[in-house]
């Protein structure tokens, strides 16, 4: 079996994590070629690297990819930006993580709406198999893209349990706390600051809570195509509250488990998620999770999180307060058990089984 993977997004959050863990789990059991920037592909594996630094969502990627993809049995696009021209692959597989731009059209520009609608429809029509990351996303894909059920396969993402774990290294925890100038008591959020992530309602809930907990936001503050400038206005306009919000900016993967371990709890307030890795990573680190009851989040987190209506600020505040004063050991036990149900090795086995089944 010869497989080619578009790995240009290997350093992105979310999709990049999926690509990284596919490559990490690859052990040479089939012939693999990988399209991407060689500087980003430092996994010491016996696969062929096909150099490309072409930007995603560009016209150039549509002319370059069909030329770069070698003759192979399977071409896997880990995102919906598939090549639209003919390629030298017997079968195509695409992973569509969510259909956010179709479900929340008001948050996308006209160009984004047109692009996502046209290319997603082409992706499902041109692919022999569509993989998605939750039953929620499967239902959304069928709703917005009219895909038959037998063409979709749900494969859950995983957690790196060697990285995300309970840490008893007090010296290491103290060093990370000092490195990021973290307070003694804080509520943690990991992710981007786009509007659908719903940080504005968390800010309002924190104001109602009072107390000395701060909100630590891990992730890029700026540079998103569809960021949330209103969030920063909301913080800056309330001078008495602004000091309670800390932005760490980029945090390398090796530091992130320490932040989960140091946090009083983790909050995940999104209106819309195809999967949502951070809550499971937090659980694996023994961190209490308070999350939105929307989209795929209850499917992924099960009974190991405390849920709130993401549109109800009072309920967000109430559930955070409830979790902070609850039975933390029981919350930790449930979270660790839930996170253990998701592994990247399981993801890899199911992903490669899809490839093999297509060729049988």
């Amino acid at each position: 079996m010869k497989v080619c993977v578009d790995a240009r997004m290997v350093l992105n959050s979310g999709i990049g994590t999926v690509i990284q863990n596919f490559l990490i789990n690859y052990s040479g059991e089939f012939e693999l070629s990988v399209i991407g920037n060689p500087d980003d592909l430092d996994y010491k594996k016996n696969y062929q690297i096909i150099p490309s630094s072409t930007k995603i969502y560009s016209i150039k990627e549509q002319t370059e990819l069909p030329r770069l993809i070698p003759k192979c049995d399977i071409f896997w696009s880990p995102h919906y930006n598939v090549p639209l021209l003919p390629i030298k692959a017997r079968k195509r597989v695409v992973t569509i993580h969510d259909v956010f731009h179709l479900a929340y059209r008001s948050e996308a520009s006209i160009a984004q709406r047109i692009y996502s609608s046209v290319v997603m429809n082409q992706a499902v029509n041109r692919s022999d198999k569509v993989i998605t990351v939750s039953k929620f996303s499967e239902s959304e894909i069928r709703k917005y893209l009219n895909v038959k059920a037998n063409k979709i396969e749900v494969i859950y993402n995983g957690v790196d349990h060697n990285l995300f774990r309970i840490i008893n290294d007090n010296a290491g925890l103290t060093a990370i706390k000092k490195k990021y100038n973290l307070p003694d008591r804080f509520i943690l959020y990991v992710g981007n600051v786009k509007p659908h992530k719903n940080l504005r309602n968390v800010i309002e809930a924190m104001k109602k809570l009072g107390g000395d907990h701060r909100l630590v936001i891990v992730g890029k503050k700026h540079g998103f195509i569809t960021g949330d400038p209103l969030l920063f206005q909301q913080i800056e306009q309330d001078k008495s509250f602004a000091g309670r919000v800390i932005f760490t900016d980029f945090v390398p993967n090796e530091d992130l488990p320490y932040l989960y371990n140091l946090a009083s709890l983790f909050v995940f307030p999104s209106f819309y998620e195809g999967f949502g890795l951070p809550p499971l990573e937090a659980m694996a680190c023994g961190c209490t999770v308070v999350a939105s009851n929307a989209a795929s989040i209850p499917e992924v987190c099960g009974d190991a999180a405390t849920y709130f209506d993401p549109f109800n600020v009072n309920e967000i505040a109430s559930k955070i307060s409830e979790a902070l004063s609850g039975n933390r050991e029981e919350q930790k036990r449930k979270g660790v058990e839930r996170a253990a149900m998701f592994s990247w090795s399981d993801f890899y086995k199911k992903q490669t089984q899809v490839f093999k089944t297509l060729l049988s």
Side-chain angles (χ1 to χ4, degrees):
M1 182 170 69
K2 295 182 179 181
V3 177
C4 179
V5 177
D6 180 1
R8 290 173 299 141
M9 295 179 70
V10 70
L11 295 187
N12 289 49
S13 62
I15 293 165
T17 302
V18 172
I19 299 169
Q20 290 166 25
N21 282 283
F22 179 87
L23 297 179
I24 288 168
N25 279 275
Y26 171 68
S27 58
E29 65 270 39
F30 51 85
E31 191 174 317
L32 178 63
S33 55
V34 177
I35 298 173
N37 187 334
D39 293 337
D40 301 338
L41 298 165
D42 57 353
Y43 307 103
K44 307 302 181 186
K45 299 286 185 177
N46 53 335
Y47 53 70
Q48 177 194 6
I49 296 175
I50 302 172
S52 173
S53 56
T54 304
K55 290 182 179 179
I56 60 171
Y57 310 136
S58 67
I59 293 174
K60 187 179 178 182
E61 78 173 345
Q62 290 300 332
T63 58
E64 183 181 79
L65 275 182
R67 178 177 59 83
L68 292 179
I69 298 166
K71 187 175 181 181
C72 57
D73 297 303
I74 300 285
F75 174 69
W76 174 40
S77 299
H79 189 37
Y80 68 80
N81 58 329
V82 301
L84 302 179
L85 295 174
I87 60 174
K88 300 181 288 292
R90 287 175 58 195
K91 301 288 183 180
R92 292 186 181 211
V93 178
V94 63
T95 298
I96 298 179
H97 299 260
D98 61 58
V99 290
F100 172 76
H101 286 316
L102 304 183
Y104 274 70
R105 293 175 63 84
S106 61
E107 289 198 20
S109 67
I110 293 174
Q112 287 172 327
R113 293 177 204 170
I114 294 171
Y115 178 90
S116 57
S117 179
V118 170
V119 179
M120 278 191 195
N121 274 287
Q122 289 295 315
V124 299
N125 290 334
R126 292 172 183 270
S127 298
D128 298 282
K129 200 71 174 180
V130 177
I131 292 172
T132 194
V133 293
S134 64
K135 292 177 182 176
F136 167 77
S137 275
E138 177 187 20
S139 67
E140 291 283 278
I141 290 168
R142 292 184 64 190
K143 176 181 176 181
Y144 289 100
L145 298 174
N146 193 29
V147 185
K148 292 181 179 179
N150 62 1
K151 194 174 184 177
I152 305 180
E153 184 90 14
V154 174
I155 301 177
Y156 289 124
N157 292 328
V159 176
D160 182 347
H161 294 283
N162 292 321
L163 180 65
F164 297 103
R165 66 204 188 282
I166 295 172
I167 297 172
N168 297 312
D169 172 15
N170 290 329
L173 291 166
T174 300
I176 292 295
K177 184 179 177 183
K178 183 178 180 180
K179 178 179 178 179
Y180 295 100
N181 195 26
L182 298 173
D184 291 333
R185 292 156 60 86
F186 65 92
I187 291 166
L188 183 67
Y189 168 80
V190 175
N192 63 50
V193 293
K194 295 181 181 181
H196 73 279
K197 297 296 186 176
N198 193 29
L199 280 170
R200 278 185 254 161
N201 279 350
V202 170
I203 296 290
E204 292 305 312
M206 291 281 292
K207 290 178 182 178
K208 289 180 178 291
L209 274 175
D212 61 351
H213 272 90
R214 296 188 186 181
L215 177 64
V216 173
I217 298 174
V218 174
K220 285 198 307 181
K221 190 174 181 180
H222 300 295
F224 294 103
I225 297 172
T226 52
D228 189 1
L230 293 179
L231 172 69
F232 304 109
Q233 292 177 25
Q234 176 191 25
I235 295 169
E236 291 162 5
Q237 284 170 359
D238 189 339
K239 301 298 182 185
S240 64
F241 183 78
R244 290 181 60 196
V245 181
I246 300 169
F247 286 91
T248 67
D249 209 348
F250 173 75
V251 171
N253 274 349
E254 59 267 25
D255 289 356
L256 191 52
Y258 288 85
L259 271 70
Y260 284 129
N261 274 264
L262 288 164
S264 298
L265 64 78
F266 176 80
V267 64
F268 199 65
S270 299
F271 296 128
Y272 194 95
E273 291 286 340
F275 186 82
L277 272 173
L280 287 180
E281 293 172 349
M283 288 177 185
C285 294
C287 184
T288 298
V289 172
V290 181
S292 163
N293 62 9
S296 65
I297 300 170
E299 176 186 346
V300 172
C301 295
D303 68 349
T306 298
Y307 295 104
F308 53 72
D309 175 353
F311 296 94
N312 188 326
V313 171
N314 288 330
E315 188 172 319
I316 296 172
S318 172
K319 294 300 182 180
I320 289 175
S321 177
E322 178 184 313
L324 286 172
S325 60
N327 185 335
R328 307 300 287 278
E329 286 306 311
E330 178 66 7
Q331 293 167 345
K332 178 187 290 189
R333 181 189 65 79
K334 283 186 174 182
V336 170
E337 288 179 358
R338 183 68 183 178
M341 297 171 65
F342 298 83
S343 75
W344 287 115
S345 60
D346 283 347
F347 150 82
Y348 179 80
K349 289 173 186 174
K350 291 173 182 176
Q351 180 82 22
T352 52
Q353 187 57 52
V354 167
F355 298 163
K356 293 171 186 175
T357 301
L358 274 178
L359 298 175
S360 61

